[in-house]
Amino acid sequence: MKERLLGKTPEELKAIALEVGLPGFAGKQMAQWLYQKRVHSIEQMTNLSKQGREALAERYEVGQTQPVEVQTSRDGTRKYLFPVRCPVKPGMTEEAFYIEAVMIPDQERKTLCVSSQAGCKMACKFCMTGRQGFHGNLDAADILSQFFAIEEAADLTNTVFMGMGEPLDNWDQVKRVMDVLTAPWGLAWSPKRITLSTIGVLPKLKQYLEESKCHLAVSLHNPFPEEREELMPVQKAWSITEVVRLIKQYDFTGQRRVSFEYTIFSGWNDTPRHAEGLLKLLRGLECRVNLIRFHAIPDFPYATASAQAMEAFRERLEKGGLTATIRASRGEDIFAACGLLAGKHNLQP
């Protein structure tokens, strides 16, 4: 299988150019073709010599994967289905899976909810992705294809790494993608256009906070560790109290923002006691709490909270000094809303 060029830096492309007999400056030219002109094939890189393109194509390919299906919601949300190939563990034979990316339109904004893994290790009981288990990490080409191969590619204004998988569990490849998105030789996006959502993978979270200027969203869902552990096994390894303690060491009073995702379950985490716990946990941190309506899934014991219960919970947080919003549900009719991304059955290898 040929190595993919998509996701490589100009310096890495320069080394590849020299390897196949092209001049070193061809690395910069290839970066322009990949990230600014967004070509699908090496043959389209017409300012490289024909002989050089042929030598390059013998060992490499652009690596942009096209979606095999798109669904459009009543509200305009679009869900794209991509085939990917990845090993579950290093050294295993690659198998084929599907992952999903979701484009969410909102007036002048077009936000892409991007996947970073096939499946997920975190096994949150209320998440369809977590229920399917972990199939493998996506590489930078798989992730960037979600940006480049969709119909709205040229019009995207923002992205959230909130799709399938835990981004910090694949931080090396996610960081590579963020570098492409923000670098002058890439898409030249401002970091303010990018948000990474994590369950709280502490070792990698510190790296993210040190190495990136992009926004952060933390999946919280319950302020009490013993209750959070009931639905989120990751709590055993990385307690939410330790996650928040780390975040409080960083400055979020400027352009960089931190938010906390809080899915509301009727009777489980929507009581005054939980509101008080949340206020205590986040006290002193400049942040926002996004309240999310639970989207029912099979064989799960908790129910969706009423609109009145969600509003009452929001008001308690606001009165306590926290900024809280109720996030509008998008794409539920095509299973594109929070917690519903699951892809389809495996492709044949």
Short mmCIF file of all heavy atoms in Angstrom, two decimals, residues 196-218:
data_model
loop_
_atom_site.label_atom_id
_atom_site.label_comp_id
_atom_site.label_asym_id
_atom_site.label_seq_id
_atom_site.Cartn_x
_atom_site.Cartn_y
_atom_site.Cartn_z
N LEU A 196 -11.38 21.38 20.49
CA LEU A 196 -11.17 19.95 20.75
C LEU A 196 -11.97 19.55 21.98
O LEU A 196 -11.91 20.21 23.01
CB LEU A 196 -9.68 19.67 20.96
CG LEU A 196 -9.31 18.21 21.28
CD1 LEU A 196 -7.99 17.83 20.58
CD2 LEU A 196 -9.16 17.99 22.80
N SER A 197 -12.73 18.47 21.84
CA SER A 197 -13.53 17.95 22.95
C SER A 197 -12.89 16.68 23.50
O SER A 197 -12.52 15.79 22.74
CB SER A 197 -14.95 17.65 22.47
OG SER A 197 -15.72 17.09 23.53
N THR A 198 -12.76 16.62 24.81
CA THR A 198 -12.11 15.46 25.43
C THR A 198 -12.88 15.01 26.67
O THR A 198 -13.55 15.81 27.33
CB THR A 198 -10.66 15.79 25.84
OG1 THR A 198 -10.07 14.64 26.48
CG2 THR A 198 -10.60 16.97 26.79
N ILE A 199 -12.73 13.76 26.98
CA ILE A 199 -13.31 13.21 28.19
C ILE A 199 -12.42 13.50 29.40
O ILE A 199 -12.83 13.37 30.54
CB ILE A 199 -13.51 11.69 28.00
CG1 ILE A 199 -14.57 11.15 28.94
CG2 ILE A 199 -12.21 10.94 28.16
CD1 ILE A 199 -14.99 9.74 28.59
N GLY A 200 -11.16 13.92 29.11
CA GLY A 200 -10.22 14.25 30.18
C GLY A 200 -9.07 13.28 30.28
O GLY A 200 -8.83 12.69 31.35
N VAL A 201 -8.33 13.09 29.19
CA VAL A 201 -7.17 12.20 29.19
C VAL A 201 -5.99 13.01 29.72
O VAL A 201 -5.31 13.72 28.97
CB VAL A 201 -6.89 11.66 27.77
CG1 VAL A 201 -5.69 10.71 27.77
CG2 VAL A 201 -8.12 10.97 27.21
N LEU A 202 -5.75 12.94 31.02
CA LEU A 202 -4.87 13.89 31.70
C LEU A 202 -3.47 14.05 31.09
O LEU A 202 -3.03 15.18 30.87
CB LEU A 202 -4.76 13.53 33.18
CG LEU A 202 -5.85 14.12 34.08
CD1 LEU A 202 -5.71 13.59 35.49
CD2 LEU A 202 -5.77 15.65 34.08
N PRO A 203 -2.72 12.97 30.81
CA PRO A 203 -1.36 13.18 30.29
C PRO A 203 -1.37 13.95 28.97
O PRO A 203 -0.56 14.86 28.77
CB PRO A 203 -0.83 11.75 30.10
CG PRO A 203 -1.67 10.91 31.01
CD PRO A 203 -3.02 11.53 31.00
N LYS A 204 -2.28 13.62 28.08
CA LYS A 204 -2.36 14.29 26.78
C LYS A 204 -3.03 15.65 26.89
O LYS A 204 -2.76 16.55 26.08
CB LYS A 204 -3.10 13.41 25.78
CG LYS A 204 -2.42 12.09 25.49
CD LYS A 204 -1.05 12.29 24.86
CE LYS A 204 -0.38 10.96 24.55
NZ LYS A 204 0.96 11.14 23.93
N LEU A 205 -3.92 15.82 27.86
CA LEU A 205 -4.58 17.11 28.06
C LEU A 205 -3.54 18.18 28.39
O LEU A 205 -3.60 19.30 27.86
CB LEU A 205 -5.62 17.02 29.16
CG LEU A 205 -6.35 18.33 29.51
CD1 LEU A 205 -7.03 18.93 28.29
CD2 LEU A 205 -7.35 18.09 30.64
N LYS A 206 -2.58 17.85 29.21
CA LYS A 206 -1.52 18.82 29.54
C LYS A 206 -0.74 19.18 28.27
O LYS A 206 -0.43 20.36 28.04
CB LYS A 206 -0.59 18.24 30.60
CG LYS A 206 0.49 19.23 31.06
CD LYS A 206 1.28 18.67 32.22
CE LYS A 206 2.41 19.62 32.62
NZ LYS A 206 1.92 20.94 33.05
N GLN A 207 -0.44 18.18 27.45
CA GLN A 207 0.25 18.46 26.19
C GLN A 207 -0.58 19.39 25.31
O GLN A 207 -0.06 20.35 24.72
CB GLN A 207 0.51 17.16 25.42
CG GLN A 207 1.69 16.36 25.91
CD GLN A 207 1.95 15.16 25.02
OE1 GLN A 207 1.72 14.01 25.41
NE2 GLN A 207 2.41 15.42 23.82
N TYR A 208 -1.87 19.11 25.21
CA TYR A 208 -2.74 19.94 24.39
C TYR A 208 -2.75 21.39 24.88
O TYR A 208 -2.64 22.33 24.09
CB TYR A 208 -4.17 19.38 24.40
CG TYR A 208 -5.16 20.25 23.66
CD1 TYR A 208 -5.11 20.35 22.28
CD2 TYR A 208 -6.13 20.97 24.34
CE1 TYR A 208 -6.01 21.17 21.58
CE2 TYR A 208 -7.03 21.78 23.67
CZ TYR A 208 -6.97 21.88 22.29
OH TYR A 208 -7.85 22.68 21.62
N LEU A 209 -2.87 21.57 26.17
CA LEU A 209 -2.92 22.92 26.73
C LEU A 209 -1.59 23.65 26.52
O LEU A 209 -1.57 24.88 26.39
CB LEU A 209 -3.26 22.85 28.22
CG LEU A 209 -4.69 22.39 28.53
CD1 LEU A 209 -4.86 22.10 30.02
CD2 LEU A 209 -5.71 23.42 28.07
N GLU A 210 -0.50 22.91 26.48
CA GLU A 210 0.82 23.52 26.28
C GLU A 210 1.12 23.77 24.80
O GLU A 210 1.74 24.77 24.45
CB GLU A 210 1.91 22.61 26.87
CG GLU A 210 1.84 22.42 28.37
CD GLU A 210 2.35 23.63 29.14
OE1 GLU A 210 2.91 24.55 28.52
OE2 GLU A 210 2.17 23.64 30.38
N GLU A 211 0.67 22.85 23.93
CA GLU A 211 1.10 22.86 22.53
C GLU A 211 0.11 23.49 21.57
O GLU A 211 0.43 23.70 20.40
CB GLU A 211 1.39 21.42 22.08
CG GLU A 211 2.52 20.75 22.86
CD GLU A 211 2.66 19.26 22.53
OE1 GLU A 211 1.92 18.78 21.64
OE2 GLU A 211 3.51 18.61 23.15
N SER A 212 -1.09 23.81 22.04
CA SER A 212 -2.12 24.34 21.15
C SER A 212 -2.75 25.59 21.74
O SER A 212 -2.80 25.76 22.96
CB SER A 212 -3.20 23.27 20.92
OG SER A 212 -4.32 23.83 20.27
N LYS A 213 -3.25 26.45 20.86
CA LYS A 213 -3.98 27.64 21.29
C LYS A 213 -5.47 27.51 20.97
O LYS A 213 -6.23 28.46 21.10
CB LYS A 213 -3.41 28.88 20.60
CG LYS A 213 -1.98 29.19 21.00
CD LYS A 213 -1.46 30.43 20.29
CE LYS A 213 -0.01 30.73 20.68
NZ LYS A 213 0.52 31.92 19.98
N CYS A 214 -5.88 26.33 20.55
CA CYS A 214 -7.28 26.11 20.18
C CYS A 214 -8.15 25.98 21.43
O CYS A 214 -7.66 25.76 22.54
CB CYS A 214 -7.41 24.85 19.32
SG CYS A 214 -6.46 24.94 17.78
N HIS A 215 -9.47 26.09 21.23
CA HIS A 215 -10.41 26.02 22.34
C HIS A 215 -10.50 24.59 22.88
O HIS A 215 -10.14 23.62 22.20
CB HIS A 215 -11.80 26.47 21.89
CG HIS A 215 -11.85 27.88 21.40
ND1 HIS A 215 -11.24 28.92 22.06
CD2 HIS A 215 -12.44 28.43 20.30
CE1 HIS A 215 -11.46 30.05 21.40
NE2 HIS A 215 -12.18 29.77 20.33
N LEU A 216 -11.02 24.48 24.10
CA LEU A 216 -11.17 23.18 24.77
C LEU A 216 -12.60 22.99 25.24
O LEU A 216 -13.22 23.92 25.77
CB LEU A 216 -10.23 23.13 25.99
CG LEU A 216 -10.34 21.90 26.90
CD1 LEU A 216 -9.85 20.65 26.18
CD2 LEU A 216 -9.54 22.13 28.19
N ALA A 217 -13.14 21.80 25.03
CA ALA A 217 -14.43 21.40 25.58
C ALA A 217 -14.22 20.10 26.34
O ALA A 217 -13.55 19.19 25.85
CB ALA A 217 -15.47 21.22 24.48
N VAL A 218 -14.78 20.02 27.54
CA VAL A 218 -14.58 18.83 28.40
C VAL A 218 -15.92 18.15 28.63
O VAL A 218 -16.90 18.79 29.03
CB VAL A 218 -13.95 19.22 29.74
CG1 VAL A 218 -13.81 18.00 30.64
CG2 VAL A 218 -12.60 19.88 29.52
#
